[in-house]
mmCIF file of all heavy atoms in Angstrom:
data_model
loop_
_atom_site.group_PDB
_atom_site.id
_atom_site.type_symbol
_atom_site.label_atom_id
_atom_site.label_comp_id
_atom_site.label_asym_id
_atom_site.label_seq_id
_atom_site.Cartn_x
_atom_site.Cartn_y
_atom_site.Cartn_z
ATOM 1 N N ASN A 99 86.500 82.267 153.457
ATOM 2 C CA ASN A 99 85.241 81.755 152.915
ATOM 3 C C ASN A 99 84.159 81.608 153.986
ATOM 4 O O ASN A 99 83.147 80.949 153.757
ATOM 5 C CB ASN A 99 85.465 80.415 152.204
ATOM 6 C CG ASN A 99 86.302 80.597 150.944
ATOM 7 O OD1 ASN A 99 86.286 81.661 150.323
ATOM 8 N ND2 ASN A 99 87.046 79.564 150.580
ATOM 9 N N LYS A 100 84.413 82.181 155.166
ATOM 10 C CA LYS A 100 83.434 82.223 156.270
ATOM 11 C C LYS A 100 83.090 80.861 156.851
ATOM 12 O O LYS A 100 82.029 80.660 157.430
ATOM 13 C CB LYS A 100 82.130 82.909 155.809
ATOM 14 C CG LYS A 100 82.294 84.286 155.192
ATOM 15 C CD LYS A 100 82.284 85.347 156.276
ATOM 16 C CE LYS A 100 82.346 86.754 155.708
ATOM 17 N NZ LYS A 100 83.665 87.070 155.135
ATOM 18 N N VAL A 101 83.994 79.891 156.647
ATOM 19 C CA VAL A 101 83.771 78.547 157.196
ATOM 20 C C VAL A 101 84.059 78.585 158.699
ATOM 21 O O VAL A 101 85.042 79.181 159.136
ATOM 22 C CB VAL A 101 84.692 77.506 156.520
ATOM 23 C CG1 VAL A 101 84.482 76.120 157.101
ATOM 24 C CG2 VAL A 101 84.458 77.494 155.010
ATOM 25 N N ARG A 102 83.178 77.962 159.471
ATOM 26 C CA ARG A 102 83.411 77.856 160.915
ATOM 27 C C ARG A 102 83.864 76.431 161.206
ATOM 28 O O ARG A 102 83.180 75.486 160.839
ATOM 29 C CB ARG A 102 82.109 78.181 161.643
ATOM 30 C CG ARG A 102 82.275 78.277 163.096
ATOM 31 C CD ARG A 102 81.038 78.842 163.761
ATOM 32 N NE ARG A 102 81.224 78.768 165.184
ATOM 33 C CZ ARG A 102 80.244 78.633 166.053
ATOM 34 N NH1 ARG A 102 79.007 78.594 165.638
ATOM 35 N NH2 ARG A 102 80.492 78.559 167.338
ATOM 36 N N ILE A 103 84.999 76.285 161.833
ATOM 37 C CA ILE A 103 85.599 74.955 161.982
ATOM 38 C C ILE A 103 85.615 74.492 163.437
ATOM 39 O O ILE A 103 85.950 75.263 164.335
ATOM 40 C CB ILE A 103 87.058 74.956 161.467
ATOM 41 C CG1 ILE A 103 87.090 75.471 160.024
ATOM 42 C CG2 ILE A 103 87.693 73.572 161.543
ATOM 43 C CD1 ILE A 103 88.478 75.745 159.508
ATOM 44 N N ARG A 104 85.287 73.235 163.625
ATOM 45 C CA ARG A 104 85.550 72.627 164.929
ATOM 46 C C ARG A 104 86.000 71.182 164.742
ATOM 47 O O ARG A 104 85.640 70.529 163.774
ATOM 48 C CB ARG A 104 84.343 72.718 165.849
ATOM 49 C CG ARG A 104 83.265 71.723 165.553
ATOM 50 C CD ARG A 104 82.254 71.714 166.654
ATOM 51 N NE ARG A 104 81.265 72.753 166.436
ATOM 52 C CZ ARG A 104 80.082 72.772 167.046
ATOM 53 N NH1 ARG A 104 79.788 71.870 167.928
ATOM 54 N NH2 ARG A 104 79.207 73.707 166.776
ATOM 55 N N ILE A 105 86.815 70.740 165.671
ATOM 56 C CA ILE A 105 87.335 69.372 165.626
ATOM 57 C C ILE A 105 86.693 68.624 166.785
ATOM 58 O O ILE A 105 86.642 69.138 167.906
ATOM 59 C CB ILE A 105 88.885 69.358 165.791
ATOM 60 C CG1 ILE A 105 89.567 70.366 164.858
ATOM 61 C CG2 ILE A 105 89.449 67.946 165.621
ATOM 62 C CD1 ILE A 105 89.399 70.178 163.391
ATOM 63 N N VAL A 106 86.180 67.416 166.520
ATOM 64 C CA VAL A 106 85.630 66.604 167.612
ATOM 65 C C VAL A 106 86.408 65.296 167.709
ATOM 66 O O VAL A 106 86.871 64.760 166.700
ATOM 67 C CB VAL A 106 84.126 66.308 167.438
ATOM 68 C CG1 VAL A 106 83.308 67.590 167.508
ATOM 69 C CG2 VAL A 106 83.817 65.552 166.146
ATOM 70 N N GLY A 107 86.536 64.796 168.934
ATOM 71 C CA GLY A 107 87.253 63.540 169.155
ATOM 72 C C GLY A 107 88.058 63.616 170.445
ATOM 73 O O GLY A 107 88.005 64.631 171.162
ATOM 74 N N ASP A 108 88.791 62.556 170.705
ATOM 75 C CA ASP A 108 89.564 62.461 171.939
ATOM 76 C C ASP A 108 90.897 63.188 171.770
ATOM 77 O O ASP A 108 91.874 62.627 171.293
ATOM 78 C CB ASP A 108 89.780 60.975 172.266
ATOM 79 C CG ASP A 108 90.532 60.795 173.571
ATOM 80 O OD1 ASP A 108 90.887 61.806 174.216
ATOM 81 O OD2 ASP A 108 90.767 59.624 173.940
ATOM 82 N N ARG A 109 90.898 64.455 172.195
ATOM 83 C CA ARG A 109 92.093 65.287 171.981
ATOM 84 C C ARG A 109 93.269 64.858 172.840
ATOM 85 O O ARG A 109 94.413 65.215 172.555
ATOM 86 C CB ARG A 109 91.778 66.753 172.271
ATOM 87 C CG ARG A 109 90.794 67.312 171.282
ATOM 88 C CD ARG A 109 90.712 68.818 171.394
ATOM 89 N NE ARG A 109 89.583 69.271 170.610
ATOM 90 C CZ ARG A 109 89.328 70.533 170.338
ATOM 91 N NH1 ARG A 109 90.121 71.479 170.803
ATOM 92 N NH2 ARG A 109 88.282 70.864 169.614
ATOM 93 N N SER A 110 92.997 64.099 173.909
ATOM 94 C CA SER A 110 94.095 63.702 174.793
ATOM 95 C C SER A 110 95.085 62.796 174.055
ATOM 96 O O SER A 110 96.223 62.649 174.475
ATOM 97 C CB SER A 110 93.557 62.990 176.041
ATOM 98 O OG SER A 110 93.033 61.724 175.691
ATOM 99 N N ARG A 111 94.644 62.209 172.948
ATOM 100 C CA ARG A 111 95.548 61.314 172.201
ATOM 101 C C ARG A 111 96.313 62.055 171.103
ATOM 102 O O ARG A 111 97.154 61.462 170.428
ATOM 103 C CB ARG A 111 94.752 60.154 171.596
ATOM 104 C CG ARG A 111 94.014 59.363 172.666
ATOM 105 C CD ARG A 111 93.428 58.086 172.106
ATOM 106 N NE ARG A 111 94.462 57.097 171.802
ATOM 107 C CZ ARG A 111 94.211 55.869 171.362
ATOM 108 N NH1 ARG A 111 92.972 55.485 171.190
ATOM 109 N NH2 ARG A 111 95.184 55.026 171.092
ATOM 110 N N LEU A 112 95.978 63.327 170.886
ATOM 111 C CA LEU A 112 96.653 64.090 169.820
ATOM 112 C C LEU A 112 97.856 64.814 170.411
ATOM 113 O O LEU A 112 97.857 65.163 171.595
ATOM 114 C CB LEU A 112 95.686 65.095 169.194
ATOM 115 C CG LEU A 112 94.353 64.525 168.684
ATOM 116 C CD1 LEU A 112 93.469 65.641 168.144
ATOM 117 C CD2 LEU A 112 94.576 63.452 167.614
ATOM 118 N N GLY A 113 98.856 65.053 169.615
ATOM 119 C CA GLY A 113 100.065 65.729 170.104
ATOM 120 C C GLY A 113 99.797 67.200 170.432
ATOM 121 O O GLY A 113 98.765 67.754 170.087
ATOM 122 N N GLU A 114 100.777 67.774 171.099
ATOM 123 C CA GLU A 114 100.658 69.161 171.555
ATOM 124 C C GLU A 114 100.515 70.129 170.379
ATOM 125 O O GLU A 114 99.668 71.031 170.394
ATOM 126 C CB GLU A 114 101.909 69.504 172.361
ATOM 127 C CG GLU A 114 101.707 70.624 173.358
ATOM 128 C CD GLU A 114 103.021 70.989 174.022
ATOM 129 O OE1 GLU A 114 103.694 70.066 174.532
ATOM 130 O OE2 GLU A 114 103.379 72.180 173.965
ATOM 131 N N ALA A 115 101.328 69.929 169.342
ATOM 132 C CA ALA A 115 101.302 70.846 168.193
ATOM 133 C C ALA A 115 99.947 70.803 167.496
ATOM 134 O O ALA A 115 99.388 71.847 167.125
ATOM 135 C CB ALA A 115 102.407 70.474 167.207
ATOM 136 N N LEU A 116 99.385 69.609 167.353
ATOM 137 C CA LEU A 116 98.083 69.480 166.694
ATOM 138 C C LEU A 116 97.001 70.116 167.563
ATOM 139 O O LEU A 116 96.131 70.843 167.062
ATOM 140 C CB LEU A 116 97.779 68.001 166.407
ATOM 141 C CG LEU A 116 96.528 67.702 165.579
ATOM 142 C CD1 LEU A 116 96.481 68.518 164.289
ATOM 143 C CD2 LEU A 116 96.455 66.203 165.230
ATOM 144 N N ASN A 117 97.074 69.890 168.869
ATOM 145 C CA ASN A 117 96.093 70.514 169.771
ATOM 146 C C ASN A 117 96.149 72.033 169.670
ATOM 147 O O ASN A 117 95.116 72.700 169.670
ATOM 148 C CB ASN A 117 96.333 70.067 171.213
ATOM 149 C CG ASN A 117 95.488 68.842 171.567
ATOM 150 O OD1 ASN A 117 94.256 68.879 171.480
ATOM 151 N ND2 ASN A 117 96.141 67.756 171.929
ATOM 152 N N ARG A 118 97.353 72.554 169.553
ATOM 153 C CA ARG A 118 97.510 74.010 169.462
ATOM 154 C C ARG A 118 96.908 74.525 168.149
ATOM 155 O O ARG A 118 96.179 75.519 168.120
ATOM 156 C CB ARG A 118 98.980 74.407 169.587
ATOM 157 C CG ARG A 118 99.134 75.747 170.287
ATOM 158 C CD ARG A 118 100.584 76.151 170.567
ATOM 159 N NE ARG A 118 101.411 75.079 171.094
ATOM 160 C CZ ARG A 118 102.476 74.562 170.471
ATOM 161 N NH1 ARG A 118 102.859 75.024 169.296
ATOM 162 N NH2 ARG A 118 103.185 73.597 171.022
ATOM 163 N N ALA A 119 97.195 73.820 167.065
ATOM 164 C CA ALA A 119 96.665 74.232 165.748
ATOM 165 C C ALA A 119 95.132 74.163 165.733
ATOM 166 O O ALA A 119 94.465 75.020 165.152
ATOM 167 C CB ALA A 119 97.240 73.337 164.654
ATOM 168 N N ILE A 120 94.592 73.160 166.389
ATOM 169 C CA ILE A 120 93.126 73.011 166.467
ATOM 170 C C ILE A 120 92.532 74.214 167.207
ATOM 171 O O ILE A 120 91.574 74.844 166.751
ATOM 172 C CB ILE A 120 92.751 71.679 167.178
ATOM 173 C CG1 ILE A 120 93.058 70.484 166.267
ATOM 174 C CG2 ILE A 120 91.285 71.677 167.600
ATOM 175 C CD1 ILE A 120 92.941 69.120 166.937
ATOM 176 N N GLU A 121 93.129 74.532 168.365
ATOM 177 C CA GLU A 121 92.618 75.667 169.153
ATOM 178 C C GLU A 121 92.686 76.951 168.341
ATOM 179 O O GLU A 121 91.766 77.762 168.361
ATOM 180 C CB GLU A 121 93.417 75.822 170.451
ATOM 181 C CG GLU A 121 92.968 74.843 171.519
ATOM 182 C CD GLU A 121 93.997 74.648 172.613
ATOM 183 O OE1 GLU A 121 94.797 75.590 172.847
ATOM 184 O OE2 GLU A 121 94.019 73.551 173.223
ATOM 185 N N GLN A 122 93.789 77.122 167.613
ATOM 186 C CA GLN A 122 93.949 78.354 166.823
ATOM 187 C C GLN A 122 92.895 78.467 165.737
ATOM 188 O O GLN A 122 92.275 79.518 165.570
ATOM 189 C CB GLN A 122 95.341 78.398 166.199
ATOM 190 C CG GLN A 122 96.385 78.908 167.186
ATOM 191 C CD GLN A 122 97.813 78.733 166.665
ATOM 192 O OE1 GLN A 122 98.020 78.234 165.562
ATOM 193 N NE2 GLN A 122 98.781 79.113 167.474
ATOM 194 N N VAL A 123 92.677 77.381 164.985
ATOM 195 C CA VAL A 123 91.736 77.455 163.861
ATOM 196 C C VAL A 123 90.299 77.590 164.379
ATOM 197 O O VAL A 123 89.472 78.304 163.795
ATOM 198 C CB VAL A 123 91.918 76.276 162.879
ATOM 199 C CG1 VAL A 123 91.288 74.990 163.371
ATOM 200 C CG2 VAL A 123 91.380 76.605 161.505
ATOM 201 N N GLU A 124 90.005 76.951 165.490
ATOM 202 C CA GLU A 124 88.654 77.086 166.064
ATOM 203 C C GLU A 124 88.425 78.524 166.532
ATOM 204 O O GLU A 124 87.356 79.092 166.314
ATOM 205 C CB GLU A 124 88.471 76.105 167.229
ATOM 206 C CG GLU A 124 88.312 74.665 166.766
ATOM 207 C CD GLU A 124 88.076 73.656 167.886
ATOM 208 O OE1 GLU A 124 88.399 73.968 169.063
ATOM 209 O OE2 GLU A 124 87.597 72.563 167.599
ATOM 210 N N HIS A 125 89.445 79.093 167.148
ATOM 211 C CA HIS A 125 89.341 80.461 167.645
ATOM 212 C C HIS A 125 89.209 81.448 166.475
ATOM 213 O O HIS A 125 88.342 82.326 166.486
ATOM 214 C CB HIS A 125 90.578 80.774 168.492
ATOM 215 C CG HIS A 125 90.572 82.146 169.056
ATOM 216 N ND1 HIS A 125 89.739 82.509 170.095
ATOM 217 C CD2 HIS A 125 91.262 83.262 168.708
ATOM 218 C CE1 HIS A 125 89.925 83.790 170.364
ATOM 219 N NE2 HIS A 125 90.841 84.272 169.541
ATOM 220 N N LEU A 126 90.059 81.242 165.447
ATOM 221 C CA LEU A 126 90.061 82.133 164.278
ATOM 222 C C LEU A 126 88.699 82.177 163.588
ATOM 223 O O LEU A 126 88.238 83.230 163.162
ATOM 224 C CB LEU A 126 91.125 81.646 163.281
ATOM 225 C CG LEU A 126 91.221 82.364 161.934
ATOM 226 C CD1 LEU A 126 91.831 83.750 162.132
ATOM 227 C CD2 LEU A 126 92.070 81.564 160.939
ATOM 228 N N THR A 127 88.046 81.021 163.481
ATOM 229 C CA THR A 127 86.827 80.924 162.668
ATOM 230 C C THR A 127 85.542 80.931 163.488
ATOM 231 O O THR A 127 84.450 80.814 162.926
ATOM 232 C CB THR A 127 86.872 79.640 161.795
ATOM 233 O OG1 THR A 127 86.876 78.497 162.654
ATOM 234 C CG2 THR A 127 88.111 79.593 160.905
ATOM 235 N N ALA A 128 85.673 81.084 164.806
ATOM 236 C CA ALA A 128 84.510 80.932 165.705
ATOM 237 C C ALA A 128 83.354 81.873 165.362
ATOM 238 O O ALA A 128 82.191 81.528 165.547
ATOM 239 C CB ALA A 128 84.944 81.135 167.148
#
Side-chain angles (χ1 to χ4, degrees):
N99 293 332
K100 306 273 184 289
V101 179
R102 188 170 174 209
I103 305 170
R104 77 169 85 163
I105 311 298
V106 295
D108 182 0
R109 294 192 191 190
S110 70
R111 302 190 71 177
L112 307 178
E114 204 185 308
L116 187 51
N117 267 301
R118 213 175 316 116
I120 288 171
E121 280 161 27
Q122 278 170 0
V123 78
E124 286 182 340
H125 180 73
L126 175 72
T127 64

